[in-house]
Amino acid sequence: MKGTPVAYVPESFLFGGDYNPEQWGEDTWREDIRLMRRARVNTVTLGVFAWARLEPREGEYDTAWLDRVIEMLTEAGIGFFLATPTASPPPWFTARYPDALNTRPDGTLLAHGSRDTYAVSAPAYRAACRRIAGMLADRYGDHPGLRGWHVHNEYGTLDYGPHAAASFRRWLRARYADLDALNDAWTTSFWSQRYDEWDEILPPVATQYVHNPAQLIDFRRYSSDEMLAAFDEQVREIRQAGSRAPATTNFMLPTWNHLEQWSWASHQDVVSVDHYLDSNGPDGEAHVAYGSDLTRGWADGPWLLMEQNPTGVITSDRTYTKSASRMIRNSLGYIARGSQSSLFFQWRASVGGSEQWHGALVPHAGEGSRAFAATCELGTHLEKIGEMLSPPADGRLSAAEVAIVWHADSWWALETPHLPNDSLTYRDEVRGTHRSLWRAGIATDVIGPGADTTGYRVIVVPCLYVATPEFAAWLRAFAEGGGTVIVSYLSGIADESLRIATGGYPGMLRELLGIVGESIEVLAPDERVRLTEGIAGTEWSERIALEGATSLHDYAEGVLAGLPAVTQNRVGAGEAIYVSTKLDQDSRDAFLAAQMARVGVAPVLAGAAELGVEAIVRRGAAADYLFLLHHGEGAVGVSGRGTELLTSVDLEGGTVLDAGGVAVIRVARASDIVIAPMTPGEK
Ligand code: GLA
């Protein structure tokens, strides 16, 4: 679907968010526009959940209200993303097409009453989606205020019902062509699972005992592809109606993961993501960095932050207040890592409905609130930093020398049951790795297996359970060329059908790593095994013999005492390191920081992380921009050759960055700036 892969470069940072005017009357709309202008909002997203309002009865459209809202926005100079409302079919739809509702793995057929109640492969649902997308594109597709299409919302609703069964079988036929190939790939010779007819195959619905892992992962792949086909279909309708506006769908940053993001990204005109802090503590800031680095990786360039919560941090059972300072630091954090926008869910807080307590740019307290003042402050900031929107000629927004490999298949593989340790997740390993690098102040990219590795000195490979000879050759070529590869436990284990590579762990990466693993020694939930030189592992350990590698850390206790735990193998001009246990976070921090120092990967700004200041460089067409986000305590001094854009201060004379503050500095290079603690009495 993607047209020419050009970077998405708006005239100014997009600022605003989801606007759901169908909740209010025209008086409130007028008030909204006034406040949007006051806050310098330039973009809203309309219609995400407006299907019932737009099509109150099948085939009968009511767009007069939307015409009016768009007219008012346009008069005020505010652009809009138009959503296709297909994430929330109206009650008339599900009442008329009950077969288009989704079924859970346990067989429960869902009913309407919330949102996302649809079976993505149901023909009636797909037809209804095409119709409403086509109607909207016909009506608004060439509107001058239209910034782009927000197709659907957060694809990720899996279905296990009869329509899914039929389309899963079609997908399997396309993948395997004949049943012998499927039976072989799925090892159906075990437990008497051999299929003789395609129709015998089911989605992995509730069954007596453990599912077949190959069936499970194929169902995840199928679900991702099926949702992508539904996305593509809507984009096709939009294009057939003649609209040329860029199309995107908002990915959800994975705490769960239902998409193969690399393939999805190539179908987006610009990749967009929704990001919600998952922690009220300081790890929230590491989470912003993680989400942004992942999204920049998928986008391979600039991207859009489509939603964040302006005023709240929602955890499983309570919503904490997000301070104004945190909202601004986070918003600039996304931009520092490549976002072209600061968009939120939602503009005005709802008074009723399921999300009435969700944060908003205009909270229940209204215009006089500190939250709205923060909205206005952010709007002012964004207008001052627009010069960085164009990426540099080489397209690289970050100067990272380290890349983490991201692989949805391996995420899904680790979710299959009956692994030696089912408590391990791909997410924890990737996130823990990224967190360590973030804490050390080191810039990190995210890449897919087989990606271009130019410019990287280190590639970190967390739990790459699913491997191929091609992946192994790609990593070897990187190491041979002088790079450092750091591979974690649970990598190289299995082929794409989750069949284990025999002859010793880590299977397909054994030769690269110069080791052979004979057995896995899983640790108990609260067990910690000490390694030499003060680091420790949890959850997993392995009995490894060296086959060319040397040991960097041995196990210092337990059944593996004296045996290698972390190894290093010289490969051509570079090396491949294996970490055979799940290092606890402190150990991981220490280990990765030491490795980075050893190979000469420096933090973005020396001394910043120690002061609680996050330093990020965003490369632009004309200059580099150093973002300083002060998450710590106490004022710090900043000086050097550069101009701070929010205050227009030339830093030769130095400036003070207060706790909670932000600075955006135009620099020739980050090392032109010095950061230092304030000496008592200095301020
Ligand atoms: C998602 C959705 C929004 C809203 C927010 C709440 O990101 O896209 O509609 O429900 O979550 O955090």
Side-chain angles (χ1 to χ4, degrees):
M1 278 287 134
K2 194 168 177 164
T4 330
V6 285
Y8 180 82
V9 183
E11 282 167 17
S12 47
F13 280 107
L14 306 186
F15 176 47
D18 276 35
Y19 182 35
N20 299 304
E22 58 272 27
Q23 300 174 88
W24 294 282
E26 189 159 336
D27 286 350
T28 309
W29 301 348
R30 255 191 296 278
E31 182 64 0
D32 285 334
I33 303 275
R34 184 181 70 77
L35 294 179
M36 285 178 194
R37 291 186 60 139
R38 201 179 141 200
R40 298 174 152 76
V41 161
N42 57 28
T43 306
V44 296
T45 300
L46 294 168
V48 178
F49 295 113
W51 197 342
R53 185 76 188 263
L54 288 166
E55 190 180 3
R57 278 163 297 280
E58 186 165 17
E60 276 180 39
Y61 300 116
D62 172 9
T63 51
W65 66 277
L66 187 56
D67 291 351
R68 178 72 188 125
V69 170
I70 288 177
E71 187 187 333
M72 289 168 72
L73 289 165
T74 308
E75 274 171 14
I78 299 165
F80 62 96
F81 274 90
L82 189 55
T84 62
T86 51
S88 201
W92 64 254
F93 174 79
T94 50
R96 180 166 300 180
Y97 303 101
D99 68 298
L101 282 158
N102 42 331
T103 303
R104 288 206 173 127
D106 68 359
T108 308
L109 179 66
L110 299 183
H112 66 247
S114 176
R115 64 180 193 192
D116 294 291
T117 42
Y118 57 85
V120 72
S121 57
Y125 172 71
R126 293 280 274 271
C129 291
R130 287 194 300 271
R131 228 175 32 231
I132 189 113
M135 184 281 284
L136 290 169
D138 276 338
R139 189 160 187 90
Y140 303 106
D142 59 0
H143 194 285
L146 180 66
R147 292 202 189 279
W149 290 98
H150 175 301
V151 175
H152 197 85
N153 192 62
E154 296 183 342
Y155 277 101
T157 300
L158 301 196
D159 171 47
Y160 292 76
H163 290 301
S167 61
F168 182 38
R169 288 174 199 135
R170 280 195 295 276
W171 184 92
L172 290 169
R173 275 175 185 259
R175 181 173 175 91
Y176 295 106
D178 68 67
L179 272 175
D180 286 347
L182 178 139
N183 280 308
D184 179 43
W186 286 17
T187 319
T188 56
S189 48
F190 192 65
W191 277 4
S192 183
Q193 289 181 352
R194 191 181 170 283
Y195 293 103
D196 196 41
E197 302 278 349
W198 289 98
D199 284 352
E200 293 164 1
I201 301 173
L202 299 172
V205 287
T207 187
Q208 174 60 21
Y209 186 39
V210 180
H211 277 107
N212 182 319
Q215 179 189 9
L216 285 172
I217 197 166
D218 269 349
F219 189 74
R220 306 306 296 266
R221 293 175 178 135
Y222 147 75
S223 296
S224 175
D225 286 355
E226 185 68 25
M227 292 186 284
L228 182 54
F231 167 84
D232 284 348
E233 243 171 58
Q234 290 201 32
V235 176
R236 216 170 291 129
E237 288 296 322
I238 288 167
R239 297 296 173 238
Q240 271 166 12
S243 180
R244 303 262 61 86
T248 183
T249 188
N250 45 345
F251 294 177
M252 184 69 181
L253 181 80
T255 41
W256 38 259
N257 185 32
H258 295 318
L259 308 183
E260 200 293 299
Q261 290 86 1
W262 301 113
S263 57
W264 277 75
S266 68
H267 290 229
Q268 312 295 309
D269 292 316
V270 54
V271 169
S272 63
V273 79
D274 297 346
H275 189 261
Y276 289 92
L277 297 189
D278 63 355
S279 147
N280 193 38
D283 204 43
E285 274 57 58
H287 194 222
V288 170
Y290 169 71
S292 306
D293 286 342
L294 270 176
T295 314
R296 189 185 60 256
W298 297 327
D300 194 18
W303 52 280
L304 293 177
L305 177 73
M306 201 52 102
E307 293 177 22
Q308 64 164 318
N309 188 333
T311 52
V313 179
I314 302 180
T315 63
S316 58
D317 64 349
R318 59 201 67 202
T319 298
Y320 297 96
T321 297
K322 190 190 274 183
S323 69
S325 140
R326 187 176 210 187
M327 184 277 275
I328 288 175
R329 275 179 283 128
N330 288 174
S331 300
L332 291 178
Y334 298 113
I335 286 175
R337 290 182 153 85
S339 174
Q340 305 288 58
S341 65
S342 193
L343 299 169
F344 295 81
F345 182 87
Q346 58 178 333
W347 163 251
R348 176 182 285 281
S350 301
V351 293
S354 307
E355 294 192 312
Q356 64 197 131
W357 285 108
H358 196 283
L361 291 166
V362 183
H364 290 138
E367 185 179 5
S369 60
R370 288 150 71 110
F372 186 69
T375 303
C376 296
E377 187 181 345
L378 179 59
T380 310
H381 284 344
L382 296 181
E383 287 194 348
K384 294 182 178 161
I385 62 172
E387 66 177 65
M388 69 184 71
L389 279 154
S390 290
D394 65 8
R396 292 188 79 150
L397 293 174
S398 96
E401 295 178 311
V402 183
I404 297 177
V405 173
W406 173 266
H407 193 219
D409 265 4
S410 292
W411 176 303
W412 294 327
L414 260 65
E415 284 182 344
T416 61
H418 243 31
L419 300 179
N421 183 342
D422 282 340
S423 75
L424 294 166
T425 67
Y426 183 76
R427 181 194 62 209
D428 277 358
E429 189 62 26
V430 180
R431 179 102 182 260
T433 302
H434 187 276
R435 183 184 289 120
S436 290
L437 294 166
W438 182 84
R439 288 180 176 173
I442 287 168
T444 305
D445 280 352
V446 174
I447 58 173
D452 180 5
T453 57
T454 315
Y456 298 124
R457 296 163 81 159
V458 180
I459 293 182
V460 191
V461 185
C463 292
L464 190 80
Y465 187 97
V466 182
T468 62
E470 290 75 31
F471 290 179
W474 170 69
L475 290 172
R476 170 172 284 280
F478 177 73
E480 277 172 351
T484 294
V485 180
I486 303 178
V487 177
S488 87
Y489 65 97
L490 266 175
S491 294
I493 298 285
D495 69 9
E496 290 178 315
S497 301
L498 303 190
R499 289 175 297 204
I500 291 170
T502 54
Y505 312 114
M508 277 174 250
L509 302 180
R510 221 178 59 219
E511 280 178 36
L512 169 73
L513 294 162
I515 54 169
V516 58
E518 178 190 323
S519 64
I520 290 154
E521 305 284 345
V522 161
L523 305 179
D526 51 0
E527 200 176 344
R528 202 168 161 270
V529 63
R530 279 187 301 112
L531 314 187
T532 50
E533 294 179 53
I535 59 174
T538 63
E539 299 290 350
W540 185 275
S541 61
E542 280 173 50
R543 182 177 295 274
I544 293 172
L546 302 174
E547 286 192 339
T550 53
S551 179
L552 294 177
H553 298 269
D554 289 342
Y555 288 102
E557 61 184 352
V559 290
L560 301 179
L563 294 176
V566 180
T567 61
Q568 177 189 38
N569 194 33
R570 296 270 160 222
V571 182
E575 57 182 354
I577 290 172
Y578 185 58
V579 183
S580 70
T581 179
K582 182 181 179 189
L583 296 176
D584 65 35
Q585 190 69 48
D586 287 348
S587 300
R588 191 189 292 267
D589 294 354
F591 172 72
L592 284 174
Q595 293 303 319
M596 296 306 129
R598 183 180 60 82
V599 301
V601 172
V604 173
L605 183 63
E610 293 78 351
L611 294 169
V613 176
E614 179 179 5
I616 314 136
V617 169
R618 173 169 168 152
R619 301 182 62 233
D624 281 0
Y625 299 89
L626 174 66
F627 285 67
L628 300 178
L629 312 178
H630 192 348
H631 308 309
E633 288 167 11
V636 298
V638 180
S639 59
R641 288 184 45 198
T643 304
E644 205 288 316
L645 300 180
L646 304 177
T647 53
S648 306
V649 164
D650 183 335
L651 290 186
E652 292 282 8
T655 191
V656 174
L657 186 61
D658 287 319
V662 292
V664 182
I665 309 167
R666 186 196 302 120
V667 289
R669 61 197 75 76
S671 56
D672 287 347
I673 299 298
V674 174
I675 190 164
M678 305 288 289
T679 47
E682 202 178 334
K683 203 188 161 191

